Amino acid sequence: MISIMNTFGIWLAAFFTLCIFSFLYKDNPFYKFAEQVFVGLSAAYWLVYIIYSIMVPNLFAKLADDFSGNIILLIPAALGLMMLMRIHPKTQWVSRYPIAIMVGTTAGISMLRYMKSDILQQLTATMINPFAAATTAEVIGNLLMIIGTICGVYFFYFSKKQEGVSKAVSKVGIWFLMVSFGATFGYTVMARISLLIGRLDFLLGDWLHLIK
Amino acid sequence: MKSTAPLFFAFIVGVIVLLSEFIPHSPFNQIVSTLEGWFMIISGFAILLGQISLIRMNTHKIVHKLDNWQYHLAGLISFGLMLTLGLLWGMQETPGILGDAPGIQAWLGQKPFDYLFDNAYLPLSATLFSLLAFFIASAAYRAFIIRGLESNLLMITAIIVIIGRTSIGTMLTGWLPENLQFWHFPNLADFIMEFPNTAAQRAILISAGLGIVGSSLRIILGIERSYLGGDK
């Protein structure tokens, strides 16, 4: 029986794969169907995942095991229910309280976390002696790293109109950013192509058995 | 009051989290871990709110028979099916309301939720993203069309990285002598990734970090209040 259901699963996967690929010809009912099924499955998957990985272990299981010991958890539960009041226009204002607590907590955590990891640590990593490297290529690389970081940060300085020397510095920053975007683009292309190869491998191998 | 009290709460929790960094002793460290736990629970409800909104939107389209309502019905049915299977029999090692369903597992080879995940969700997701491989080609033509130094830099870097990270790169410049190894495509790609790319990424991180710190401060001090919405 497992074998039959396994075969059915492969055919189901092949059907959905072809439905999505049919968009390459033009928008059509098969694609629209598969797209909406994906939205539905995706939403349900994340809901089930959140229930089992967050809500049950952090709230429901703790309250069920020791209600009086974890009574404080009724506060986030109440705040969560207040969040759901956003559905109705008349009670929408109630959801501001849980949102404010979430936003306040996030702001506090983000401020410290980004100050450490994205500002101080990155600045520290840039403050190096560029000439203390083993090869000429590394020395050039270190110099490029320092110049690129300074010019790149300067490009994002929008408080003053950039003209003259500052415009030149900003321009160098753009060049470095373009190199980085090019590298990112290259990686994205390769990732998408490998996904495409994976799907073609599935269709020609697992489904049609044309390749081993 | 409806707007002021939430701002006060945001200020209090924000300040407590900030203080905890500088006073890592009781009760501040306990308060922060409690707040982080609460944050997760409330964000779970926020996701639930998003799903309810999705159901409402789809139901509205189906009830009023708006354009393409049949497809939204399919979406709603797939949502209900996946949710029901997940809640009844759980996912992976986690049991559901009715347990682990060993009988169904013997029939399907795995849990119904996981079966649907492997044979419907995963192929749909992978194919949708792989579809971008085709559209990225036309996007690349528009982006790389030679307009100036910047677009040239982008194009050349992308080509070097793609060639350098595949076997064709090794094949093309593998014959270069030892003293010219820097120009070997894989080495060139490594150099780009290690130095100019890191420099730009670092600039983005530092700039975005400064922006986040500024925005966070504005939120905690109540200057930024757009997250509260209108005055209803």
Side-chain angles (χ1 to χ4, degrees):
Chain A
M1 199 61 190
I2 287 177
S3 162
I4 295 170
M5 291 316 291
N6 193 29
T7 308
F8 177 74
I10 289 172
W11 276 81
L12 189 68
F15 170 72
F16 282 130
T17 303
L18 292 174
C19 282
I20 297 293
F21 276 145
S22 69
F23 186 74
L24 290 171
Y25 172 62
K26 65 175 185 181
D27 198 8
N28 62 76
F30 287 105
Y31 175 76
K32 283 179 183 162
F33 170 75
E35 188 188 34
Q36 285 302 320
V37 168
F38 176 68
V39 171
L41 292 180
S42 185
Y45 169 75
W46 285 109
L47 184 56
V48 172
Y49 180 80
I50 293 294
I51 289 170
Y52 287 129
S53 63
I54 293 178
M55 304 301 277
V56 170
N58 292 309
L59 181 66
F60 300 126
K62 282 183 179 174
L63 285 174
D65 288 345
D66 180 14
F67 184 79
S68 54
N70 292 305
I71 202 157
I72 197 163
L73 287 176
L74 289 179
I75 297 173
L79 287 167
L81 291 172
M82 285 163 77
M83 178 76 95
L84 297 181
M85 308 276 264
R86 198 167 182 81
I87 295 166
H88 200 272
K90 282 189 177 173
T91 55
Q92 210 173 32
W93 63 272
V94 179
S95 68
R96 286 177 178 172
Y97 290 90
I99 290 173
I101 289 172
M102 281 184 77
V103 169
T105 311
T106 312
I109 293 170
S110 305
M111 194 171 165
L112 297 166
R113 193 169 290 166
Y114 285 98
M115 178 69 93
K116 270 192 224 166
S117 66
D118 283 15
I119 302 176
L120 296 177
Q121 281 181 9
Q122 297 301 327
L123 285 173
T124 311
T126 313
M127 290 178 192
I128 51 167
N129 177 6
F131 303 103
T135 62
T136 316
E138 281 180 30
V139 171
I140 295 168
N142 286 341
L143 285 169
L144 284 175
M145 181 117 77
I146 294 167
I147 294 166
T149 306
I150 294 168
C151 295
V153 170
Y154 193 80
F155 168 71
F156 290 110
Y157 178 67
F158 300 125
S159 300
K160 188 171 163 265
K161 193 181 176 188
Q162 294 177 340
E163 48 196 356
V165 179
S166 63
K167 193 179 177 183
V169 175
S170 177
K171 194 83 177 165
V172 175
I174 294 175
W175 294 343
F176 276 90
L177 288 170
M178 283 299 160
V179 168
S180 178
F181 294 153
T184 310
F185 184 83
Y187 267 106
T188 310
V189 169
M190 286 197 292
R192 301 303 180 216
I193 296 283
S194 68
L195 272 175
L196 178 64
I197 291 168
R199 293 324 297 157
L200 293 177
D201 185 51
F202 165 75
L203 286 176
L204 300 174
D206 296 345
W207 185 45
L208 296 174
H209 302 291
L210 292 175
I211 53 170
K212 292 287 174 191
Chain B
M1 181 64 184
K2 283 178 183 176
S3 293
T4 316
L7 286 174
F8 176 72
F9 279 115
F11 174 76
I12 293 293
V13 292
V15 168
I16 288 172
V17 173
L18 285 178
L19 279 178
S20 72
E21 181 65 19
F22 302 100
I23 314 169
H25 301 288
S26 188
F28 286 100
N29 49 359
Q30 286 168 338
I31 291 173
V32 170
S33 62
T34 306
L35 274 176
E36 283 177 348
W38 289 13
F39 179 87
M40 277 173 55
I41 294 168
I42 300 171
S43 57
F45 278 98
I47 288 169
L48 181 64
L49 176 69
Q51 314 293 31
I52 292 170
S53 174
L54 181 78
I55 295 168
R56 283 180 73 190
M57 190 201 75
N58 277 310
T59 312
H60 174 80
K61 283 185 178 167
I62 294 161
V63 169
H64 294 92
K65 296 222 161 74
L66 299 178
D67 283 350
N68 296 324
W69 66 271
Q70 303 92 334
Y71 304 112
H72 292 281
L73 180 63
L76 211 54
I77 291 170
S78 60
F79 174 83
L81 182 69
M82 188 95 164
L83 181 66
T84 310
L85 294 178
L87 292 178
L88 290 182
W89 294 294
M91 60 190 287
Q92 291 171 333
E93 305 301 318
T94 317
I97 298 165
L98 300 181
D100 276 320
I104 298 173
Q105 280 199 59
W107 182 55
L108 281 177
Q110 55 190 335
K111 285 188 178 179
F113 181 88
D114 298 331
Y115 183 82
L116 209 55
F117 178 83
D118 285 343
N119 297 305
Y121 177 78
L122 219 53
L124 279 167
S125 162
T127 316
L128 266 172
F129 286 110
S130 76
L131 208 60
L132 284 176
F134 293 97
F135 297 109
I136 222 163
S138 65
Y141 174 74
R142 283 194 288 271
F144 291 170
I145 199 164
I146 298 165
R147 292 200 189 106
L149 180 63
E150 287 86 6
S151 59
N152 269 322
L153 274 173
L154 201 143
M155 177 187 69
I156 292 164
T157 315
I159 289 170
I160 291 172
V161 168
I162 291 171
I163 294 175
R165 288 283 187 263
T166 48
S167 53
I168 195 170
T170 315
M171 198 180 75
L172 282 174
T173 50
W175 53 271
L176 283 170
E178 192 65 34
N179 59 335
L180 291 176
Q181 275 299 302
F182 177 79
W183 302 104
H184 184 39
F185 272 118
N187 295 343
L188 207 52
D190 284 344
F191 181 83
I192 289 171
M193 294 309 294
E194 196 177 345
F195 297 109
N197 179 56
T198 306
Q201 291 298 326
R202 213 166 256 178
I204 293 170
L205 283 176
I206 293 169
S207 309
L210 287 168
I212 289 167
V213 169
S215 302
S216 301
L217 203 57
R218 283 171 63 87
I219 287 169
I220 291 169
L221 296 176
I223 301 165
E224 173 62 55
R225 51 183 75 180
S226 57
Y227 64 89
L228 292 175
D231 288 328
K232 286 177 191 171

